[in-house]
Amino acid sequence: MKRIVSLSLGLAIILLIGCSEKKVSAPMPYGAVPTKRQVVHQQLEMYAFLHFTTNTFTDIEWGYGDESPEVFNPTEFNPDQIISTLAQSGFKGAILTCKHHDGFCLWPSQYTEHSVKNSLWENGKGDVVKAVSEACRKYGIKFGVYLSPWDRNHAEYGQPEYIDYYRNQLEELLTNYGEVFELWVDGANGGDGYYGGAREKRNINRAEYYQWDTTFALARKLQPDINIFSDIGPDLRWIGNERGYANDSCWATYTPLAKDGEAKPAPGSLKYWLGETGTINGKYWIPAEVDVSIRPGWFYHPSQDDKVKTLEQLVDIYFNSVGKGTTLNLNIPPDRRGKINENDVKVLTDFKNYLNKAYEKNILTGAKVSASEFRGNNRQFNSLNTIDNNNETYWATDDSTIIASIEFELMREEEFNCFEIQEYIQLGQRVSSFSVDVFENNEWKTVVKSSTIGYKKLLRFDTISASKIGVNILDALACPVISEIGLYNIHEL
Ligand code: FUL
Ligand code: CA
């Protein structure tokens, strides 16, 4: 009886404390914020580019547009091998060059003869887009479409009629092949080409010719959840280089700027180098995508079989893209057989093993956590939320607090060399400066200092051993909202 009384007394006290906790509202979103589809896309982190067309067989990067469709003839085309390799290597999607600048179509478009239907491959009955999109579904990754705005084959390129052609093709691709997660619009456009036999140079007004607003609206109508990539967004921007690197300060907010003397920014015509950092307090949420090839070229060349990026290079790219809050679109070009080459498969397997092992154990799991404060003293925003392995929960401070810190106490000294931190981007990107410190010989010592966080920041440093770790938010645009923090001891390469 006594036990029951004291039990119910305890329960009453708990309830009382629970009820007495003031209701505190979540921080207001700050600045431009992502749409739902952008959040879903950001969480993919890594997907692959597949550059594959007549160029694969002619050994060039930019086909002139006069290639015979007959040259496209993969000898052992194997979409299962291509897509299962990507899926097993940790890539969450594949974006296929359905049409590159040379104009050759990997699907039997009803609007042109310059396609697989006039190739020798599968007696003209094949459809690479269908095969790849189906393989993506089979192996559980997303399918995306690259459709080059520049078409060096088409006779009407430069005329309004070509825009109809482009839109018709887009409609085919976004209607007949299931869900499409990303549309990739290239900035390279205009110049010399075959153009139905004219063999001349055609310059277009990049800001006006394509009427992108109408085309993007069409894409959105056909595929409501699609993320559209171009130099100017609207959903994803180009990082501004093809080396695989984002800046340490990298904002997902962005205000694309026109080149000096130009009226407005457009794909292929803007101050693209600003993509590396984005824009602090930028007008739109247009996070960067880092695109880079696993080989020197975008297309397969036998002479580059021994120039496939090494594991060290891939890891470096990973930390400089995903680790700086961007997505990584790594190009892995199928070879002339229509398979991912053995040399590429080898390094991709090593890459996957490396990442698996690296993130096996978050040293902070189970640590004692405390913070300089948490929002309204409400447990909903407390610091434990940073190590609950849940992106939806976060630590936040009061609106008036910008500078804040959080401390982790481990059970024992541990070695580590990699720090991970994430903002809850649904409420905007906020932090502009932070540091990671350790408590050593009775004083705090800074291990690493960095700028923005965004969706994810990964920082590597020389292995260090400590049992007390502090994370200091040194500056932010609004009160910090941190969803996850991790500490890892990554093995040597
Ligand atoms: C560039 C193109 O010119 C390259 O050929 C490649 O497709 C790359 C991804 O984008 O602008
Ligand atoms: Ca969390």
Side-chain angles (χ1 to χ4, degrees):
M1 183 63 189
K2 221 171 138 196
R3 225 180 125 214
I4 292 176
V5 170
S6 70
L7 255 180
S8 29
L9 202 75
L11 202 68
I13 291 171
I14 288 171
L15 276 174
L16 217 79
I17 295 174
C19 293
S20 72
E21 191 167 66
K22 264 201 313 227
K23 214 178 144 24
V24 178
S25 54
M28 292 287 285
Y30 178 83
V33 294
T35 57
K36 253 203 195 112
R37 66 170 175 272
Q38 285 175 312
V39 174
V40 171
H41 188 277
Q42 183 86 57
Q43 289 167 346
L44 300 175
E45 297 195 359
M46 293 204 303
Y47 37 89
F49 232 159
L50 294 172
H51 273 67
F52 189 43
T53 192
T54 47
N55 294 346
T56 312
F57 303 89
T58 54
D59 214 8
I60 49 180
E61 279 289 310
W62 281 8
Y64 189 69
D66 61 352
E67 297 73 25
S68 163
E70 294 191 0
V71 303
F72 183 83
N73 197 9
T75 49
E76 298 167 48
F77 179 58
N78 191 339
D80 275 37
Q81 187 265 1
I82 296 172
I83 300 300
S84 66
T85 301
L86 299 182
Q88 281 156 20
S89 309
F91 295 89
K92 302 288 170 15
I95 302 174
L96 176 68
T97 53
C98 301
K99 181 186 89 171
H100 202 251
H101 308 330
D102 54 270
F104 181 77
C105 299
L106 293 186
W107 79 104
S109 170
Q110 60 166 298
Y111 302 102
T112 181
E113 290 305 303
H114 198 56
S115 82
V116 280
K117 71 183 169 208
N118 286 311
S119 72
L120 300 176
W121 176 64
E122 294 192 350
N123 295 318
K125 300 274 179 297
D127 182 341
V128 180
V129 179
K130 184 161 184 275
V132 169
S133 61
E134 283 175 355
C136 283
R137 268 185 290 282
K138 179 168 166 192
Y139 292 98
I141 69 170
K142 296 182 183 252
F143 173 67
V145 158
Y146 169 114
L147 183 66
S148 171
W150 184 20
D151 191 321
R152 304 173 93 188
N153 173 264
H154 203 274
E156 290 170 320
Y157 181 76
Q159 304 299 316
E161 289 75 15
Y162 171 74
I163 303 304
D164 292 336
Y165 173 76
Y166 185 86
R167 288 183 186 150
N168 283 335
Q169 293 205 316
L170 189 63
E171 188 153 358
E172 286 183 318
L173 292 171
L174 300 188
T175 308
N176 299 334
Y177 299 98
E179 197 186 325
V180 176
F181 86 109
E182 183 169 329
L183 168 65
W184 216 93
V185 173
D186 205 311
N189 50 50
D192 61 347
Y194 172 69
Y195 303 128
R199 297 184 182 276
E200 61 188 11
K201 191 165 183 188
R202 292 185 183 172
N203 288 325
I204 47 110
N205 178 338
R206 289 177 173 148
E208 303 299 335
Y209 178 54
Y210 293 103
Q211 299 167 59
W212 283 117
D213 287 352
T214 312
T215 304
F216 291 163
L218 170 71
R220 192 81 81 211
K221 192 185 100 201
L222 298 170
Q223 295 272 344
D225 294 329
I226 201 166
N227 276 273
I228 302 170
F229 168 100
S230 89
D231 289 345
I232 56 162
D235 300 311
L236 292 157
R237 73 171 191 266
W238 186 40
I239 191 66
N241 69 70
E242 292 178 342
R243 291 175 293 114
Y245 290 84
N247 202 281
D248 180 57
S249 175
C250 190
W251 295 94
T253 47
Y254 190 46
T255 311
L257 294 183
K259 272 190 183 156
D260 295 339
E262 303 267 318
K264 60 176 185 186
S269 174
L270 78 164
K271 292 186 172 164
Y272 65 84
W273 52 92
L274 301 178
E276 280 189 16
T277 54
T279 318
I280 184 169
N281 283 316
K283 216 162 157 186
Y284 313 100
W285 185 273
I286 314 177
E289 173 188 290
V290 164
D291 65 319
V292 56
S293 185
I294 197 167
R295 288 161 171 253
W298 290 98
F299 287 91
Y300 173 81
H301 306 285
S303 61
Q304 296 180 353
D305 278 347
D306 59 356
K307 297 194 174 62
V308 177
K309 287 197 168 56
T310 60
L311 176 62
E312 283 83 352
Q313 287 172 310
L314 288 190
V315 166
D316 207 42
I317 285 171
Y318 175 82
F319 278 100
N320 280 292
S321 53
V322 175
K324 286 184 176 161
T326 76
T327 47
L328 170 60
N329 180 6
L330 182 69
N331 179 60
I332 303 154
D335 63 16
R336 289 180 182 170
R337 294 169 306 173
K339 292 169 82 168
I340 295 183
N341 192 266
E342 286 72 4
N343 296 6
D344 308 53
V345 173
K346 165 88 181 58
V347 73
L348 288 173
T349 311
D350 293 346
F351 182 50
K352 179 61 187 166
N353 290 339
Y354 171 89
L355 289 180
N356 277 351
K357 217 168 140 211
Y359 296 107
E360 224 163 36
K361 185 177 166 236
N362 180 358
I363 288 167
L364 298 181
T365 308
K368 242 172 83 189
V369 198
S370 57
S372 50
E373 69 171 65
F374 54 93
R375 193 171 178 81
N377 274 325
N378 190 295
R379 275 172 297 172
Q380 190 193 339
F381 305 109
N382 83 25
S383 46
L384 266 174
N385 289 340
T386 59
I387 51 167
D388 65 353
N389 207 12
N390 177 358
N391 278 341
E392 297 299 315
T393 58
Y394 51 82
W395 163 61
T397 62
D398 288 338
D399 285 337
S400 55
T401 306
I402 299 296
I403 297 170
S405 61
I406 187 164
E407 214 179 287
F408 300 90
E409 224 182 299
L410 310 178
M411 303 273 272
R412 66 188 86 80
E413 275 215 356
E414 297 265 10
E415 287 194 333
F416 51 89
N417 51 21
C418 177
F419 176 76
E420 175 184 50
I421 186 164
Q422 297 187 271
E423 279 182 279
Y424 181 72
I425 54 167
Q426 285 88 332
L427 295 178
Q429 191 173 341
R430 295 155 174 261
V431 176
S432 59
S433 175
F434 71 98
S435 73
V436 182
D437 295 14
V438 291
F439 198 68
E440 217 179 64
N441 303 328
N442 268 333
E443 58 177 6
W444 286 102
K445 189 182 121 204
T446 297
V447 179
V448 63
K449 209 176 146 196
S450 179
S451 170
T452 54
I453 297 177
Y455 171 71
K456 186 175 269 189
K457 188 66 162 265
L458 294 167
L459 297 167
R460 287 184 293 177
F461 38 85
D462 289 342
T463 304
I464 174 167
S465 147
S467 62
K468 237 163 117 178
I469 298 101
V471 179
N472 301 305
I473 307 299
L474 303 172
D475 205 0
L477 303 176
C479 73
V481 177
I482 306 294
S483 63
E484 283 296 296
I485 297 181
L487 211 52
Y488 302 90
N489 190 20
I490 303 185
H491 53 289
E492 301 222 346
L493 276 167

